[in-house]
Amino acid sequence: MHLERLLQSQGFGSRKICRLRIEAGDVCVNGTLCRDPQAEFGTAGLAFEIDGETWTYAEHVYLALHKPAGFECTHQPQHHRSVYTLLPPPLVRRGVQSVGRLDADTTGLLLFSDDGRFIHAMASPKRRVAKHYRATLKHAFDNTLPKQLLEGVLLTGESAPLAALSAQQMDAHTLALSVDQGKYHQVKRMVAAAGNRVEALHRAGFGALSLEGGSLPALAPGDCCHLSENHLILLGYRR
Ligand code: URA
């Protein structure tokens, strides 16, 4: 692929902008300065440096973000900042989108990609990918809560009850809950339907990926990392 086209595909601006950056001497490829926008490179494993940062060519990107509270999962946020401000700008320009959404006040694991097939596979109700949450409850835990959530609660606008995959007390005000659907405000609505109220919500895991279990590098709130092939296998997206 021509270098200017290659940089454009990786989110570094229009073809013209990429050409000017290359001609200005801003780009090294595999460790060597290249000022020729038309220079041809094979893309597999190609490393290039721009603005002092090294990037590896990737046909698609897959990211995990530890979402902090106070960010909206949209490009045009209304009341808070956008989660997209937390991602490297070239990856946003490539068009990465979140896999589903978390509420502005929810923290935890959120995946992104520019691979539409991946987003669809991870978000599709048919795949039933488990999402693992920790909810801080307003009222002290009562023993009927897990039973109600596991048996299913009927939410307004739904034709059938929604049941949790698992629901466990962690302490007097903390519930660990896993669900495999992705309805709007699902956890908060399920807990409300079972007679309590979620005061804070954290997504600890998505499928086999966990912010706490060592399957991902340690991510502080606001940090993101690339998913490896192994992560994609763990998610059932690759073999
Ligand atoms: N369920 C909710 O209620 N909110 C979220 O952000 C995610 C799941």
Side-chain angles (χ1 to χ4, degrees):
M1 198 185 288
H2 289 152
L3 185 55
E4 66 177 17
R5 165 89 188 82
L6 191 149
L7 286 189
Q8 183 194 15
S9 76
Q10 302 298 289
F12 290 91
S14 67
R15 206 139 160 175
K16 183 175 174 199
I17 287 175
C18 293
R19 188 184 323 139
L20 294 174
R21 300 289 312 264
I22 296 162
E23 286 170 350
D26 290 347
V27 182
C28 287
V29 182
N30 292 329
T32 307
L33 181 67
C34 180
R35 289 177 181 268
D36 177 6
Q38 295 300 311
E40 285 262 9
F41 292 95
T43 53
L46 183 96
F48 57 94
E49 200 182 300
I50 184 162
D51 298 332
E53 223 181 310
T54 301
W55 300 79
T56 304
Y57 176 88
E59 189 185 348
H60 288 300
V61 284
Y62 306 90
L63 299 172
L65 170 75
H66 185 162
K67 180 190 173 295
F71 285 82
E72 292 179 29
C73 292
T74 160
H75 287 281
Q76 268 98 36
Q78 309 239 303
H79 305 292
H80 304 275
R81 278 174 290 164
S82 161
V83 283
Y84 293 96
T85 61
L86 297 168
L87 305 180
L91 304 186
V92 178
R93 280 196 295 267
R94 283 183 67 150
V96 297
Q97 300 293 333
S98 63
V99 174
R101 290 182 178 190
L102 292 175
D103 298 336
D105 59 349
T106 300
T107 60
L109 182 55
L110 185 62
L111 305 185
F112 292 83
S113 183
D114 60 353
D115 176 354
R117 274 185 56 238
F118 173 79
I119 295 176
H120 177 72
M122 293 300 113
S124 163
K126 286 193 194 134
R127 284 259 192 154
R128 310 199 78 125
V129 179
K131 275 77 73 177
H132 311 285
Y133 293 94
R134 215 167 41 235
T136 307
L137 305 175
K138 175 169 184 179
H139 308 294
F141 202 92
D142 91 85
N143 291 334
T144 66
L145 186 62
K147 190 165 177 289
Q148 289 188 72
L149 295 170
L150 290 169
E151 283 177 357
V153 285
L154 188 60
L155 304 183
T156 312
E158 296 295 329
S159 53
L162 291 179
L165 294 174
S166 66
Q168 268 180 311
Q169 178 174 8
M170 308 295 288
D171 62 41
H173 283 269
T174 312
L175 167 76
L177 180 77
S178 298
V179 296
D180 63 2
Q181 311 90 350
K183 306 277 183 193
Y184 182 66
H185 291 332
Q186 184 173 338
V187 173
K188 292 174 186 167
R189 288 162 69 213
M190 285 177 75
V191 169
N196 208 315
R197 190 189 155 95
V198 172
E199 297 233 292
L201 188 61
H202 176 74
R203 182 153 77 188
F206 187 100
L209 299 187
S210 165
L211 282 176
E212 285 142 26
S215 53
L216 291 169
L219 294 175
D223 283 355
C224 69
C225 69
H226 285 268
L227 296 180
S228 65
E229 280 299 305
N230 199 37
H231 292 133
L232 299 182
I233 292 171
L234 284 172
L235 288 169
Y237 186 62
R238 293 257 213 274
R239 292 170 181 220

